Structure formats: C-alpha cells, structure tokens
Amino acid sequence: MPDASRNAPASIRLTDYQPSAFTIDLVELEFDLEPDATKVRSRLSIRRQGTHDKSLVLVGEGVNGEPLDTRKVAVDGRELGEHEYHINADNLTIDNVGDEFTLETHCVIDPESNLALSGLYRSSGNFCTQCEPEGFRRITWFLDRPDVLAEYRVTLIADAKNNPVMLANGNRVESVDLDNGKRRVSWHDPWPKPSYLFALVAGDLGCLRDEFVTRSGRKVALEVYAQHHNMDQCDHAMASLKQAMRWDEEVYGREYDLDIYMIVAVDDFNMGAMENKGLNIFNSRYVLARPETATDDDFDAIEGVIGHEYFHNWSGNRVTCRDWFQLSLKEGFTVFRDQEFSAAMGSSGVKRISDVNILRAHQFPEDSGPMAHPVRPDSYVEINNFYTVTVYNKGAEVVRMLYNLLGPEQFRAGCDLYFDRHDGQAVTTDDFVRAHEDASGRQFDQFRRWYEQAGTPRVTASVEFNQDTQHYQLKLAQNCPPTPAQPDKKSFHIPLRGAFFDFDGNPVMCRVGDDSTMRQEHVFELTETEQSFDLVGIDQPVVPSLLRGFSAPVKLDAGLDRRALAILMAHDTDPFNRWDAGQRLALNEILNGVDSIAKGRTPQFDRIFIDAFGTLLASELDDGAFHAAALALPQYAIVAEELDAIDPTAVNDSLDALKATLATEFQTLLNERYQRFVPEIAYTFDRVDNGRRALKNCLLGYLAADDAGAVSNLAASQFQRADNMTDRMGALATATRYGLECAEMLLQTFYDDWRNHSLVVDKWLRLQASSPVLGTVENLRRLMGHEAYNGKNPNKIRALVGAFCQANPQQFHAVDGSGYALLTEQVLMLDAVNPQVAARLVSAFNQWKRYRDPWRGQMRDSLRQIRERETLSRDVSEIVERALNED
C-alpha cells in the first residue's frame, strides 16, 4: 500500500523551531567497511538540555521506507531489551533516560545499493559519504540536526589491499595493520561540528601532496585524492587551494585550524562539492583539469568551487547554521566570498557579468514562479529542494549589499565580530546582520526584509530638474510583485551605486544632498516607496549610470533611450554597466523582434544598436573575455523573463534573426578579427590568453550565424589545430549549434579520442543535447542507449537530460510536446532511484503558467502525470504540488 505520508507530506516551519531536548558532546564511531554490509558502531555521550522529562528521540532512515537495520541498543553499557526502546521507520525512542548518559547502537547498512548517493555509498569501487543536509541519519541513529555540535572520534576498519586509503574528518591519530588482512585507521576532529559535516572515504586512490604555511607559521599538509588514472589532472586544484588559503588570510584574517586539509574527487555525486571539516568531497568535475581535457571555464569553475569549500571552514563550519532555514547564512556568505576571490584571481568585470547572468537567467525566474521563497525560507517539505539560486546566489547579493552599504573596512569589522562572537556556535542570519550593526553602529532592521521577503523588486529611476530647488534630482521608486504566500511587500533597503555622464560620455561630478564632497560615484540608499536625491553641481541634462556593479538584486528601469544606452555602452567606466547597456539595447531589439514575429512580420532591427555593436566589435579592448561577453546576446531565459506570456518559438527566432543580422552586416570585420588569432599561440592559462580564446570562439559563432556552410572548414581547422580543450570545444560547439557539415565527423573524432575520460564524454553529451539541430528527442533517446551514458550517474544525467531542458529551448519546447514527454519519463524513472536529481529536472516545468498555449497546457499535463505517481518522493512531490497550485 502506498505511504500516504509521502503523498501528502507535512511542511516544516521556521516558527516551529525548538532547541534540541538533548545534545551530544562526543561522538565515537567505528565502521567495519564492507560493500554490502558495513557495520556501524556508534557511542554517543548525550546530555539533557534544560529541565524536562522528554524521551530521547533519534532519527534514522533505512532503505525502502524500512527502519535502520539495528542490532544493538545499549545505555551506559547495558544492552536494552526490545521492550525498553521503540523503533519505527524514522525514529529510535528511549524513555526514562538520565540527564547524562552514553548511548551505544550497532547498525548494518548497504553502501553498494545506495543509489540515492546520500549517506554512505560507493563510487567507482570506493566508499564515500554525503551527509548534508540529512544523509547522516542513513548511517546511524542520531540527533541529525545542524544545531547539535559534537567532537568526533572515528575508526575505520577495512581490507587493507582494497582500501589503502582510509580518511575521515580531523587529524589522523592511528594506523594499525590487523592480523586478518585489514587495517584500522583512527581520526579525531577536535572542533565541534554538526553531523552534516561528517565524512569518510576509503578505497584505492592516488594522492597529490603539498604543504601550506599559515601566516602564523603553522605547517598544514595538503592532500588531493583521485583515481590513479586521473592524478595528472589535480595540479590546478592544489594550486587553487593554496591561493584560497592565502586569500582568506589576507582578506578576512582567517587561518586554517587542523594539521591536514584533504580533497577527494569522486565521479558519483549529487552536488558540486561538500565542505566536510578537513575532508572535502568533490564532484570530480570540480577537481580534475589539464589543458587537453578542461576548458578555461572549467579551470575557473574549479578555482571558484575549491575556494568556496575552503572558505566554508569559517563561514559554515566554525560558525554554522542553527537550522536549515538559515542555510543562506553559510551558503550566501560563502558564495559572496568565493565570488570576490575569483574576481581577485581573474577579470573582476567578467566575473561580475557571469554572476549576474546566473541571477537573471535562473534566480529572477525562480522569484517569479511557484517555488519563489525568501532567502531565509518560512517553510519546506523537503530541504533538498531549497539548495537554490535564491538561497545561494541571491543570498550572496544580500551580503554584497551589506558590503556596499558599509564599505570594505566596516564590513571586515563586522565579519571579524561575527566570527569571534559565534565561533563554535550554530546561529541565524539575524546574528550575522546584528554583528554588522554592532561593529558599524548602524541599524539594519529594514534591511532584514531581504531575508524575509521573496520576489525581485522593481526600481524605476529618472533625472529631472526641480524648479523649487534649482537642482537636478534623481527620483527613485520601488515595488515588489506578489509571490506565493506573500501578496503584499514592504519597502526594501536598496543600495544603488550610481554615477552620471554628459552626452559626450564624460563623467560628471556632483554632491548629493548635504554631502559636502564632490564625487563621481555615490551610493543612493532607497528605503521608501518613492524617494528623491538632490544632485548638487549638475547644471545640464545627464545620463545616469545606476546599479553600477549590480549593487542590488533588482530589476531597474532607468527610462534610458537608445542614445543614452549607446553612450553608456561606449563610455561607462564601470565594466558591468558598460556591458549591461549593450545588453539592454540588444534586449530591446529582441523583444521588438518577438512582437513582430507574433504579428506575422519579419523583425527589423534598429540602426543605433547595429552601429553600436559594430563600434564595439572594432574596438581594441585589453580584456578579451570582457570583449566577448559584451558582444554576446542575452540568453533565452533572460529574454523570456521579460515577457508576460512566453512564445518560445518567437523568442528563439528573434534571437537567431538578430544574430544573423549582425553577422551579415559585419561579416568582413568578424572574419578579419577572427583571423588575428590564426594560427594560435601555444596554450597558457592566464587572463590574457583566456581572453583571446574567449573572443576568438565568440567570433567563430557569429561567422557561422551568417554562413554556416562557409564556416565549416574554419571550425574543422580550429578543431584539428587545437592544443587545448577550450579551442576544441569552441569549434565543436559552433559546429553542433549550427549543424555544420563537419559536425558529425568532429563529434566522432572527439568521442574516439576521449571515450575513456568520463568528464570529457560529459562535454560530448552536453554539446549534442543542447544543440537545436542535433538535440532532438529522437537523438536524445539514441544517446540514452549509447555506451557512454549511465542513467544512474548524476553528471551524465545533467549532461544529457539537464542540458536538453535548460540549454536547448528550441527542442525542449517543441510544439508537439515531445520534449516535455521525454522529461516526464525521465523524472518518473529517476525519482525511484535518486529523488534529488529528479527534483532538479522537474523544476524545468516551474514556469509553465507564464507560457502561451499549447506549451502551457502541455507542461501542466506533464506535471499532472507526474503527480499521479502514488509513490512519488517528497523531493519531487513538493515541487510538482507547488507548481500546480499556481493553476
């Protein structure tokens, strides 16, 4: 019979939070590791919190809805009889326990069959764990919640031949060979941590070793583990780790606190990486790289994710979150830190553009859809569903706004106070804000609404002459649309960085209000529904450059016409706003094209934008990566977010028409610029050469948009000459995107060369799935039967099915509904195996209500079909129910 509780799961609410009735001071674990029958012996030193007579209730989760296989329960050394405790599918309950006692349990678990990849499981023959958010309960009975922090002592016992590497959190204290061919290795983590940060790894792995000397002179051993055949791809990860450790010392004053820091790359992983204390477990995608196998973007991503997980040592581990509603406390803050680290290591302007593109393409739609939630959610059914771009990326923007409001010195003082005040504690977002209030002397009561209210605020702006004051004024207004369960919004505290230019593109200095200093750039703090600021010193009409550096996660309408945007596109001194002016010009043209197509007309594009694009194309910019980003057109998702009723065919056709128009207009110049990079210089990974490759591949894409037939030889030649994956993928991406004559040959050559390199095969799958020409449903089904595809591996699923849904709007939104049918089939199949991955995929239907028919009705029918599954997981059920409740 179906489990009714799974079909109608109850919500967990922030308002219901209560501290744990008991806490755990010391955790002693012993694992006798066997692939299908691992024995877990747990000894917990438990203490009652407060005055009460509640029973001890631990959580655990077995397989297929069954309880953990429990062989022994003992209190203070006395084994309990079956009548002295109670076990059901989720809980172990013991009545009449003392105020302080030791609980011992023995359980047996099956890592080999754990395909959900949560808890202890096997990947490529090795043991590994993933315990965030609630995987530890799949290992043993526990108070599996983030506000229970304990010291851990862990012993691993395993066959020494098959498991020469045995790792856990903390410092290694013992390694002993046993008589039976096994080895016992013991670890001690002295820093109290919640169970979600527990980790172990055991297996046959290679190791790259290095050392880092902290600024206080402590030596820290660094170890990066991977499968032996991948060890030649670990150098960049190690270099990135050392850079991150030094940067955190210099910028935040934070030193590492253990004797050893370990990173392990595994092929089967639901997430990107996990910051387990001292033992980070990574999706191999974010560790392995060499120029022949990884693109420049891969190298950048590895640097960022390595940094992110290391920075968690303080913003997440030493100071952790009280409950899962506070997830952004650690994730938003740490994303901000990794963004600033990556900006410091490379092109800060390009990094900011990349971060904002993620917000606009993914977080803004989330804020306008059925899964809209505050950065600190009010409730959830399945916490896995709230590892979202809102919690992570919008959460980072909230921290960035604090930085913009306070400035670097006061922000650093607030962070220092936060770390010092709460070291070893589980705290809340309010504690984070309060530390900045106390360090700066400012009050941020209104600012806290960023954590409490969902939605993307809309800000309008204009510069007008005030006859009464005889000054120009900047007039600002804000509003925020309704979101689920939050129909009415209070005003936000919005910092808008701004500057002004004359119509020749020259910066204009001014004072704001009573400020006595003439400045080029100001921070305007918008706190009211409508607000005005006197611009003293401006005596002529000006072009406002607002939201510089994307200083707040809002949608801005500054009322700028094409001429004003063209001025900013050519002259703005802020890299982000210079790029954004071009994006706004392009977006206006694309939206006009969508309207024309809907009315049955051929799109006609404005000469001002075409000329501005030509000027940009001909420019000699120092940063090639910025030049490439500035030439790129807005993504499909960003265009769609601007529409009340989305016609995916019209959006795609308008985007293609504008790119083809630009390519035809500037075919000669595009080819001349491209030929500057032929032949290529020998590969190096640095900012200048990365920019050269980015610009070259951007130009190749434009050339194909004009004359695909003529560009086939160019793409094939680049592919064959390339000594690096970036150029090879650039050529192959253009060939597959436009269905060039060379595409099939290049794809076959690529696969033949790299069939034994799993991460490179993922690229091969992703290219085909995201191609509007090759990524048809028929071809996807063929690829699902290919030897390269593993329908249980998250990376393969994301590369094929995920790329199809997220990066191929032409085929996913096929008018016959075949793309939706394919996704529905995959979600239902995966839900029984890996609900986390299934839930990520089904989110592609979240925007269904914003589409026109027939797409709207087809997506709704797919959601209804999924909902009919009686045994649907909490993960998928919550997303489907919230989507359909919008009906």
Side-chain angles (χ1 to χ4, degrees):
M1 177 180 293
D3 183 348
S5 67
R6 297 283 176 173
N7 290 334
S11 292
I12 299 170
R13 301 186 181 280
L14 173 60
T15 53
D16 293 336
Y17 170 82
Q18 294 290 330
S20 177
F22 296 86
T23 193
I24 302 172
D25 296 316
L26 176 64
V27 178
E28 298 171 282
L29 298 171
E30 181 183 276
F31 291 83
D32 192 343
L33 294 165
E34 296 289 347
D36 57 358
T38 290
K39 300 179 181 66
V40 184
R41 300 176 181 88
S42 168
R43 179 181 169 89
L44 310 177
S45 298
I46 300 179
R47 174 167 46 87
R48 187 185 302 273
Q49 296 200 115
T51 303
H52 61 82
D53 59 357
K54 295 178 181 178
S55 301
L56 174 69
V57 180
L58 304 181
V59 294
E61 184 179 324
V63 297
N64 299 322
E66 297 295 322
L68 281 170
D69 183 355
T70 306
R71 307 296 175 88
K72 179 181 179 179
V73 179
V75 174
D76 290 333
R78 183 181 71 84
E79 185 169 359
L80 302 185
E82 291 185 1
H83 65 284
E84 295 181 278
Y85 62 90
H86 314 284
I87 288 180
N88 62 25
D90 303 308
N91 299 121
L92 165 63
T93 303
I94 306 175
D95 301 323
N96 304 317
V97 294
D99 290 342
E100 293 189 25
F101 57 95
T102 300
L103 173 68
E104 184 179 353
T105 61
H106 294 185
C107 298
V108 178
I109 58 178
D110 182 0
E112 192 73 62
S113 65
N114 182 1
L115 302 180
L117 311 185
S118 173
L120 177 64
Y121 65 95
R122 301 263 286 172
S123 175
S124 303
N126 300 305
F127 294 91
C128 60
T129 54
Q130 172 56 34
C131 292
E132 186 178 356
E134 296 177 338
F136 193 80
R137 65 189 61 188
R138 297 168 64 90
I139 295 173
T140 189
W141 297 106
F142 204 74
L143 295 172
D144 189 17
R145 45 188 290 168
D147 59 350
V148 174
L149 281 65
E151 177 185 348
Y152 279 67
R153 296 182 182 273
V154 177
T155 298
L156 307 178
I157 300 170
D159 180 85
K161 181 179 179 181
N162 294 327
N163 301 279
V165 172
M166 288 188 274
L167 312 174
N169 308 92
N171 299 316
R172 187 187 292 109
V173 296
E174 180 189 55
S175 180
V176 178
D177 289 327
L178 306 178
D179 294 337
N180 56 2
K182 293 189 175 184
R183 179 178 294 123
R184 182 179 71 235
V185 181
S186 298
W187 294 79
H188 175 224
D189 185 358
W191 300 103
K193 66 173 180 285
S195 54
Y196 80 83
L197 291 172
F198 169 79
L200 75 79
V201 171
D204 187 4
L205 297 166
C207 181
L208 174 65
R209 291 180 169 85
D210 207 329
E211 182 180 81
F212 181 82
V213 180
T214 69
R215 64 179 183 175
S216 66
R218 289 181 56 251
K219 292 183 178 180
V220 178
L222 307 180
E223 298 179 352
V224 177
Y225 291 87
Q227 294 180 70
H228 292 284
H229 63 271
N230 288 327
M231 290 310 301
D232 63 342
Q233 301 177 67
C234 295
D235 290 340
H236 179 65
M238 181 65 81
S240 298
L241 173 59
K242 296 172 75 173
Q243 288 174 327
M245 296 176 81
R246 183 64 65 207
W247 184 87
D248 209 22
E249 289 185 345
E250 293 172 352
V251 178
Y252 284 89
R254 299 293 122 185
E255 285 194 22
Y256 186 60
D257 51 8
L258 290 168
D259 298 336
I260 188 171
Y261 189 92
M262 298 168 286
I263 290 172
V264 181
V266 300
D267 287 342
D268 300 280
F269 204 71
N270 283 338
M271 302 183 183
M274 181 62 211
E275 70 267 20
N276 317 298
K277 182 71 177 181
L279 176 56
N280 290 184
I281 299 178
F282 272 64
N283 187 323
S284 56
R285 177 182 178 184
Y286 295 108
V287 174
L288 306 179
R290 54 186 172 90
E292 296 82 6
T293 63
T295 65
D296 294 340
D297 287 343
D298 293 330
F299 275 86
D300 287 339
I302 288 168
E303 180 180 74
V305 177
I306 292 278
H308 180 96
E309 304 308 330
Y310 174 75
F311 301 146
H312 264 314
N313 187 59
W314 278 94
S315 52
N317 296 4
R318 288 286 288 267
V319 183
T320 193
C321 49
R322 185 195 72 178
D323 53 69
W324 291 121
F325 298 101
Q326 318 297 330
L327 181 59
S328 193
L329 175 77
K330 71 184 188 76
E331 295 301 346
F333 186 20
T334 305
V335 169
F336 171 75
R337 275 152 54 75
D338 84 55
Q339 289 175 348
E340 291 298 284
F341 165 65
S342 294
M345 296 299 106
S347 169
S348 59
V350 172
K351 175 58 179 168
R352 194 66 188 128
I353 290 166
S354 172
D355 294 337
V356 174
N357 266 332
I358 291 172
L359 281 167
R360 288 176 171 170
H362 302 287
Q363 197 282 317
F364 282 11
E366 185 168 86
D367 249 348
S368 64
M371 284 296 290
H373 57 276
V375 172
R376 186 192 65 200
D378 299 318
S379 67
Y380 62 82
V381 171
E382 174 52 65
I383 185 56
N384 285 313
N385 289 335
F386 286 84
Y387 283 72
T388 61
V389 282
T390 296
V391 166
Y392 278 64
N393 300 74
K394 186 177 180 179
E397 296 305 311
V398 174
V399 176
R400 186 178 298 275
M401 284 188 288
L402 270 178
Y403 181 92
N404 284 326
L405 288 166
L406 294 171
E409 292 184 4
Q410 286 193 341
F411 180 79
R412 167 66 189 272
C415 292
D416 286 346
L417 180 59
Y418 169 72
F419 289 131
D420 294 343
R421 177 184 284 175
H422 298 296
D423 190 9
Q425 297 178 7
V427 297
T428 68
T429 56
D430 192 60
D431 292 315
F432 179 75
V433 175
R434 187 177 297 112
H436 287 282
E437 288 177 324
D438 293 346
S440 66
R442 294 196 59 175
Q443 292 298 313
F444 289 121
D445 291 342
Q446 183 179 3
F447 184 83
R448 286 176 170 83
R449 292 174 188 166
W450 283 104
Y451 286 106
E452 300 163 358
Q453 296 185 150
T456 304
R458 274 68 165 165
V459 174
T460 57
S462 63
V463 177
E464 302 175 10
F465 187 75
N466 188 306
Q467 293 290 346
D468 295 332
T469 65
Q470 292 296 295
H471 294 306
Y472 279 90
Q473 284 187 328
L474 174 65
K475 292 189 174 183
L476 301 174
Q478 64 166 298
N479 71 87
C480 188
T483 56
Q486 291 187 339
D488 301 310
K489 305 298 174 70
K490 297 179 180 179
S491 295
F492 289 86
H493 185 173
I494 303 173
L496 288 177
R497 283 176 50 205
F500 304 91
F501 294 83
D502 64 24
F503 279 79
D504 291 322
N506 300 307
V508 176
M509 306 282 282
C510 70
R511 294 189 292 110
V512 175
D514 296 330
D515 187 356
S516 60
T517 304
M518 296 287 284
R519 309 176 193 274
Q520 181 184 348
E521 185 175 275
H522 308 265
V523 176
F524 300 96
E525 297 190 30
L526 175 60
T527 57
E528 307 295 333
T529 303
E530 296 182 352
Q531 213 164 331
S532 297
F533 300 86
D534 283 338
L535 307 177
V536 182
I538 293 181
D539 57 3
Q540 59 181 318
V542 290
V543 179
S545 168
L546 300 175
L547 201 64
R548 289 161 72 83
F550 201 72
S551 58
V554 302
K555 292 184 176 182
L556 173 68
D557 180 2
L560 301 181
D561 59 19
R562 290 184 177 91
R563 180 189 175 198
L565 288 170
I567 289 170
L568 295 179
M569 185 178 174
H571 300 288
D572 203 320
T573 53
D574 180 84
F576 172 81
N577 270 28
R578 185 176 183 185
W579 167 82
D580 197 44
Q583 293 290 291
R584 294 292 171 189
L585 273 172
L587 186 60
N588 291 339
E589 297 306 306
I590 295 163
L591 293 174
N592 289 336
V594 169
D595 185 61
S596 294
I597 291 168
K599 294 175 180 176
R601 300 197 300 260
T602 301
Q604 301 294 322
F605 301 110
D606 190 88
R607 195 72 226 173
I608 291 179
F609 172 70
I610 293 173
D611 290 343
F613 180 91
T615 300
L616 175 65
L617 176 62
S619 298
E620 301 293 342
L621 302 183
D622 293 335
D623 188 340
F626 176 81
H627 203 169
L631 292 170
L633 297 178
Q635 303 170 38
Y636 169 90
I638 292 173
V639 178
E641 177 64 11
E642 297 295 316
L643 298 169
D644 293 327
I646 303 167
D647 178 338
T649 301
V651 173
N652 287 314
D653 288 351
S654 183
L655 277 163
D656 289 346
L658 179 56
K659 189 165 188 177
T661 297
L662 295 170
T664 301
E665 177 80 16
F666 300 107
Q667 193 273 342
T668 300
L669 181 57
L670 286 163
N671 190 57
E672 289 175 356
R673 297 302 301 257
Y674 177 82
Q675 292 299 332
R676 290 187 184 186
F677 303 112
V678 179
E680 295 82 357
I681 61 176
Y683 178 88
T684 56
F685 181 77
D686 60 38
R687 176 178 171 179
V688 173
D689 283 356
N690 295 2
R692 285 171 54 88
R693 287 185 288 273
L695 181 55
K696 176 180 63 177
N697 288 317
C698 171
L699 296 170
L700 183 64
Y702 270 105
L703 286 169
D706 172 53
D707 187 348
V711 175
S712 184
N713 288 336
L714 273 184
S717 296
Q718 178 176 311
F719 181 91
Q720 291 157 1
R721 289 192 312 269
D723 66 349
N724 64 87
M725 184 57 72
T726 304
D727 281 345
R728 194 170 290 116
M729 282 290 290
L732 193 52
T734 295
T736 54
R737 167 64 179 83
Y738 293 98
L740 303 186
E741 183 180 348
C742 64
E744 292 292 345
M745 179 269 290
L746 297 185
L747 281 169
Q748 188 61 53
T749 301
F750 189 84
Y751 182 72
D752 291 343
D753 289 345
W754 300 105
R755 66 194 308 157
N756 295 321
H757 292 258
S758 181
L759 292 177
V760 182
V761 170
D762 290 347
K763 300 179 191 300
W764 181 77
L765 292 169
R766 190 177 299 113
L767 281 173
Q768 295 175 82
S770 58
S771 166
V773 179
L774 304 180
T776 63
V777 169
E778 179 183 0
N779 281 339
L780 252 72
R781 293 191 183 280
R782 177 182 58 80
L783 287 168
M784 286 174 182
H786 195 279
E787 63 176 5
Y789 187 69
N790 176 356
K792 296 178 181 178
N793 176 267
N795 281 354
K796 293 291 183 290
I797 297 165
R798 284 186 285 258
L800 192 65
V801 185
F804 174 71
C805 300
Q806 298 295 336
N808 190 355
Q810 290 94 330
Q811 295 294 344
F812 178 60
H813 295 295
V815 73
D816 63 359
S818 58
Y820 304 154
L822 178 70
L823 177 58
T824 301
E825 167 193 307
Q826 290 296 304
V827 168
L828 290 172
M829 181 182 70
L830 286 165
D831 188 52
V833 179
N834 192 326
Q836 287 187 44
V837 173
R840 295 290 178 182
L841 292 178
V842 79
S843 298
F845 288 138
N846 279 351
Q847 296 289 315
W848 69 270
K849 191 179 181 184
R850 298 189 55 209
Y851 278 75
R852 295 183 183 275
D853 277 325
W855 302 280
R856 173 187 173 117
Q858 291 166 348
M859 283 191 271
R860 181 190 57 217
D861 291 346
S862 290
L863 286 165
R864 288 174 174 171
Q865 181 182 344
I866 293 168
R867 184 172 62 178
E868 290 173 1
R869 170 72 66 84
E870 290 185 338
T871 55
L872 207 59
S873 69
R874 289 196 309 268
D875 306 65
V876 172
S877 175
E878 178 175 25
I879 291 175
V880 170
E881 290 295 340
R882 289 184 65 154
L884 286 173
N885 283 343
E886 288 287 282
D887 192 354

